[in-house]
């Protein structure tokens, strides 16, 4: 059995970039180790950059500085709201079973090279440390030494995320390593300067879990930094530690993204029961898609099947004219097959559901008999009981609510403020439904005539809690446009627009000041463009915004949180056609 003797813990200085004076007595950490023919001692430090090349203003813009209560590290942007770094950057002790880890993080971005004199952007965030993180002295490396930081905001527009690789560079191949730590053989470059270097992959350990570089010196501050392909576009591994072995001498190690790919992706873009997310690249390659539901002034229905901004198919269900006495009320998956169905109502009050398979009507239902009474109005469609089938939220003229589970009037519930059937004052109006607490059950968004916002947290037909974000009056100048999930955390967000055209997003329904705009420039939006709805068009598990111009042109803003990342223009359509909703397909 290998024995390890560590006389003192000064090796934490190079790991965490503590003040130089604290390490002056032993700057390279060599005094912390006892090395004999029978002993292979281990010390956790950063990966080295031996022959540093300072990054130019436009180089490696996805590299960031990460600060925590434990010091400073390097990190990588892997999505507009996500940073990849090392777990040990947040943990005060490297011994097995002795970790005390923090989660608060501050991330500093490099300035936009196109804006002379621009200051670095700074965002806070919360670190999600790999649940199996284990500093192992016996195996001479750190197990699962990765962490993902979810930002309280999004990266600046000039930052293009690195692609997270799920493959591995060959042993002996050349890669690029980068970090903000001290660099050079004598560690003379101060922390905070981004340097990069070419390196040769020395080999792997534990299969392909750990990538190794042989015969390297080390300096502080590169922990959490990048091991990239030669083109510096794909991240292969995260800087982790350095050890002494009898076989290779001093070696530096990184945890491969290939070995941690599923966990990293799940932290970037969590799957849900209706949308499985995995894949490659800087998007999450999720299974679900969003299509556009149209209706002509003559009553004809059409569906655009979308792939990003491309119309890859069209369908015209229901023939030439389902009849203008029938009006579309919404869409939802009423039969639990993963595809949206269409909810209708007749002028006489009768309700109908078209069960859809692609563009075909495969069944119809007429719940509630001939006339559920025009005194009741549809308020929204959601899944209030979490059974994977959509329900219909109604309200009558007195303010009383009702929920038809799976759209069936025979399974109605009547929620009230105190969870017994009673009207809610009509000064409160339903704005829509969404899952604001992440429990896979729809909640109800309200707004008072005073402007005050409220959320009822629901479990089936029971109100289980409430929230009043935004204080007494978020200003009636602002109107709710849509409810969606823009940051991909499986909690609904509220999209607002004011009278000047400016947008705002309240993440999780909580009041904030995230104001997306075209090309992320400040200023109001063009009021000739109106929001039509939200849905995920680029398969990244984050909702995008559908717009239509008064001239009939359709546009899609691709979104990462509150960050505009691109626009698509499918087609200009005659204004005799109107967008009536978005249809979702789980794609399983």
């Amino acid at each position: 059995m290998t024995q390890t003797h560590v006389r003192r813990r000064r090796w934490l200085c190079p790991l965490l970039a503590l003040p130089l004076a604290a390490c002056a007595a032993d700057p390279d950490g060599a005094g912390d180790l006892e090395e004999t023919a029978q002993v292979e001692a281990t010390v956790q430090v950063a990966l080295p950059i031996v022959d540093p090349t300072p990054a130019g203003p436009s180089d490696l813009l996805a590299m960031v500085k990460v600060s925590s209560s434990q010091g400073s590290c390097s990190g990588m942007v892997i999505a507009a709201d996500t940073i990849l770094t090392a777990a040990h950057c947040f943990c005060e002790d490297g011994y097995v079973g002795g970790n005390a880890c923090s989660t608060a993080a501050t991330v500093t971005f490099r300035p936009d090279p196109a804006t002379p004199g621009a200051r670095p952007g700074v965002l806070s965030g919360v670190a999600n440390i790999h649940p199996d993180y284990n500093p192992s002295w016996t195996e001479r490396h750190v197990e699962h030494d990765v962490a993902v930081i979810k930002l309280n905001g999004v990266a600046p527009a000039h930052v293009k995320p690195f692609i997270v690789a799920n493959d591995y560079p060959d042993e002996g191949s050349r890669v690029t390593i980068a970090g903000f730590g001290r660099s050079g053989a004598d560690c003379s470059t101060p922390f905070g300067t981004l340097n990069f270097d070419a390196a040769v992959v020395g080999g792997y350990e534990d299969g392909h879990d750990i990538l190794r570089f042989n015969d390297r010196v080390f300096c502080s501050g590169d922990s959490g930094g990048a091991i990239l392909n030669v083109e510096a576009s794909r991240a292969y591994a995260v800087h982790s530690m350095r050890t002494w072995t009898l076989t290779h001498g001093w070696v530096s190690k990184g945890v491969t993204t290939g070995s941690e790919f599923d966990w990293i992706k799940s932290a970037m873009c969590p799957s849900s029961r209706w949308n499985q997310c995995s894949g490659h690249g800087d998007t999450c390659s999720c299974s679900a898609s969003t299509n556009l539901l149209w209706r002509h002034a003559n009553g004809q229905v059409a569906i655009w099947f979308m792939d990003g901004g491309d119309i890859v198919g069209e369908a015209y269900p229901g023939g030439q004219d389902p009849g203008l006495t029938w009006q579309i009320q919404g869409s939802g998956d009423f039969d639990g097959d993963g595809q949206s169905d269409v909810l209708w109502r007749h002028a006489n009050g009768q309700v109908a559901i078209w069960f859809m398979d692609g563009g075909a009507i495969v069944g119809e239902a007429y719940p509630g008999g001939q006339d559920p009474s025009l005194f009741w109005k549809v308020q929204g469609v959601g899944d209030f009981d979490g059974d994977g089938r959509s329900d219909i939220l109604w309200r009558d003229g007195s303010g009383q609510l009702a929920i038809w589970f799976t759209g069936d009037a025979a399974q109605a519930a009547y929620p009230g403020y105190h969870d017994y059937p009673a009207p809610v004052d009509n000064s409160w109006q339903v704005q829509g439904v969404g899952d604001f607490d992440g429990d896979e059950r729809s909640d109800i968004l309200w707004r008072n005539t005073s402007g005050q916002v409220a959320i009822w947290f629901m479990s089936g037909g029971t109100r289980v809690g409430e929230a009043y974000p935004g204080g007494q009056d978020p200003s009636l100048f602002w109107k709710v446009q849509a409810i969606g999930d823009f940051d991909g955390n499986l909690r609904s967000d509220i999209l607002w627009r004011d009278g000047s055209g400016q947008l705002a997003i309240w993440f999780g329904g909580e009041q904030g000041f995230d104001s997306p705009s075209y090309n992320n420039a400040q200023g109001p939006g063009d009021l000739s463009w109106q929001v039509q709805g939200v849905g995920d068009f680029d398969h990244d598990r984050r909702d995008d915004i559908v717009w239509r111009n008064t001239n009939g042109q359709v546009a899609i803003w691709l979104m990462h949180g509150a960050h505009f990342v691109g626009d698509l223009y499918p087609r200009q359509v005659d204004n005799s056609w109107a967008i009536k909703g978005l249809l979702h397909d789980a794609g399983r």
Side-chain angles (χ1 to χ4, degrees):
M1 179 179 295
T2 301
Q3 297 179 347
T4 302
H5 303 284
V6 179
R7 292 202 299 260
R8 55 191 182 275
R9 296 173 55 203
R10 193 176 296 125
W11 57 268
L12 285 174
C13 299
L15 166 64
L16 300 173
L18 297 178
L20 184 60
C23 303
D26 191 9
D28 63 0
D32 290 342
L33 304 176
E34 293 184 7
E35 302 164 13
T36 70
Q38 290 78 35
V39 176
E40 293 188 1
T42 306
V43 59
Q44 182 178 340
V45 298
L47 187 78
I49 298 178
V50 180
D51 186 17
T53 299
S58 300
D59 296 332
L60 298 168
L61 289 172
M63 292 295 302
V64 294
K65 301 174 188 174
V66 175
S67 299
S68 74
S69 62
Q70 300 306 308
S72 299
C73 285
S74 300
M76 296 171 270
V77 180
I78 56 173
D81 59 354
T82 311
I83 306 298
L84 179 63
T85 188
H88 73 252
C89 294
F90 296 90
C91 301
E92 71 177 25
D93 197 341
Y95 294 100
V96 177
N99 286 315
C101 300
S102 60
T103 59
T106 301
V107 174
T108 303
F109 300 87
R110 297 171 65 218
D112 184 353
T115 307
R119 298 175 63 86
V122 179
L123 287 172
S124 62
V126 177
N128 184 8
I129 296 166
H130 196 292
D132 297 322
Y133 169 56
N134 177 25
S136 172
W137 294 98
T138 58
E139 294 187 33
R140 301 180 302 285
H141 60 244
V142 178
E143 304 281 356
H144 307 290
D145 186 16
V146 289
V148 167
I149 302 169
K150 299 302 290 186
L151 298 173
N152 298 320
V154 290
H158 65 277
V159 176
K160 179 177 173 55
F162 290 130
I163 295 169
V164 178
N166 69 342
D167 57 351
Y168 312 91
D170 293 334
E171 183 174 346
S173 64
R174 293 174 67 82
V175 293
T176 298
I177 57 177
F180 289 91
R182 296 179 177 275
S183 58
D186 58 354
C187 297
S188 59
T189 303
F191 175 82
T193 299
L194 178 61
N195 289 283
F196 64 93
D197 192 9
V200 174
V201 176
Y204 290 93
E205 299 175 11
D206 279 12
H208 280 84
D209 289 359
I210 306 295
L211 185 153
R212 185 184 71 244
F213 296 94
N214 299 334
D215 303 321
R216 311 289 288 191
V217 299
F218 72 90
C219 302
S220 62
D222 288 321
S223 295
I227 301 170
L228 308 163
N229 62 345
V230 173
E231 295 79 14
S233 60
R234 304 180 77 233
Y236 282 129
V238 180
H239 297 183
S240 179
M241 65 175 296
R242 174 178 180 263
T243 68
W244 171 267
T245 71
L246 295 177
T247 305
H248 299 287
W250 285 113
V251 301
S252 294
K253 300 180 180 181
V255 178
T256 62
T257 57
S259 66
E260 307 294 349
F261 184 80
D262 290 341
W263 182 82
I264 294 170
K265 282 292 184 177
S266 70
M268 289 174 64
C269 187
S271 294
S272 67
R273 65 170 180 257
W274 60 86
N275 195 7
Q276 300 304 308
C277 303
S278 58
H280 308 270
D282 56 4
T283 61
C284 292
S285 299
C286 297
S287 62
S289 59
T290 303
N291 305 310
L292 296 181
L293 177 65
W294 294 83
R295 199 173 193 205
H296 194 272
N298 66 11
Q300 188 177 17
V301 177
I303 299 172
W304 281 6
F305 299 102
M306 306 296 296
D307 184 7
D310 296 327
I311 305 166
V312 296
E314 299 181 29
Y316 296 86
Q320 291 301 305
D321 183 0
L324 290 172
T325 55
W326 288 93
Q327 295 297 316
I328 294 172
Q329 302 288 293
S331 62
D333 181 10
F334 293 100
D335 55 2
D337 67 350
Q339 299 187 61
S340 288
D341 310 307
V342 183
L343 176 65
W344 294 86
R345 198 174 195 200
H346 194 272
N348 67 9
Q350 187 176 16
V351 178
I353 298 172
W354 280 4
F355 298 108
M356 306 297 295
D357 184 1
I361 304 167
V362 296
E364 298 181 22
Y366 296 86
Q370 292 301 305
D371 182 0
S373 171
L374 291 170
F375 196 58
W376 288 89
K377 306 294 183 185
V378 173
Q379 303 290 291
V381 176
D383 182 6
F384 290 94
D385 54 1
D387 67 350
R389 297 170 182 251
S390 292
D391 314 309
I392 306 173
L393 178 66
W394 296 84
R395 197 180 191 199
D396 73 6
S398 74
Q400 176 66 57
L401 295 177
I403 298 174
W404 289 10
F405 292 103
T406 67
D408 186 351
Q411 301 184 52
Y414 297 87
Y417 181 73
H418 294 291
D419 296 323
Y420 58 84
V424 178
D425 191 297
N426 279 315
S427 64
W428 288 96
Q429 296 295 311
V430 174
Q431 303 289 291
V433 299
D435 181 10
F436 293 99
D437 55 2
D439 66 351
E440 296 192 338
R441 294 173 172 83
S442 292
D443 309 308
I444 304 173
L445 176 66
W446 298 86
R447 198 174 195 202
N448 195 278
T449 52
S450 69
Q452 187 175 16
V453 178
I455 298 171
W456 279 14
F457 300 111
M458 303 295 295
S459 179
T462 303
R463 184 190 67 87
V464 296
E466 62 188 26
Y468 293 88
Q472 293 299 306
D473 182 2
S475 173
L476 292 170
F477 196 57
W478 289 89
K479 307 295 183 185
V480 174
Q481 302 290 294
I483 297 172
D485 182 6
F486 293 98
D487 53 2
N489 67 350
L490 305 183
R491 296 172 182 253
S492 292
D493 313 311
I494 306 172
L495 178 66
W496 298 82
R497 199 179 194 201
D498 73 5
S500 73
Q502 184 176 2
L503 296 177
I505 298 176
W506 288 12
F507 290 101
E510 297 180 1
Q511 184 178 21
F513 301 95
D514 296 290
S515 301
S517 61
Y518 185 69
N519 283 329
N520 301 297
Q522 295 299 316
D526 185 343
L527 290 173
S528 66
W529 288 96
Q530 295 296 311
V531 174
Q532 304 291 295
V534 299
D536 179 12
F537 288 88
D538 56 357
H539 306 286
D540 69 348
R541 189 52 189 90
R542 296 168 173 87
D543 279 335
D544 311 305
I545 305 173
V546 181
W547 297 86
R548 197 170 188 209
N549 195 279
T550 52
N551 66 11
Q553 177 67 54
V554 178
I556 299 169
W557 279 15
L558 302 178
M559 304 294 294
H560 274 273
H563 182 70
F564 167 92
V565 296
D567 50 352
L568 308 170
Y569 295 89
R571 188 184 297 170
Q572 185 172 337
V573 182
D574 187 278
N575 281 318
S576 59
W577 287 94
I579 295 175
K580 291 296 184 179
L582 281 72
L583 302 178
H584 305 283
D585 184 346
R588 292 180 296 223

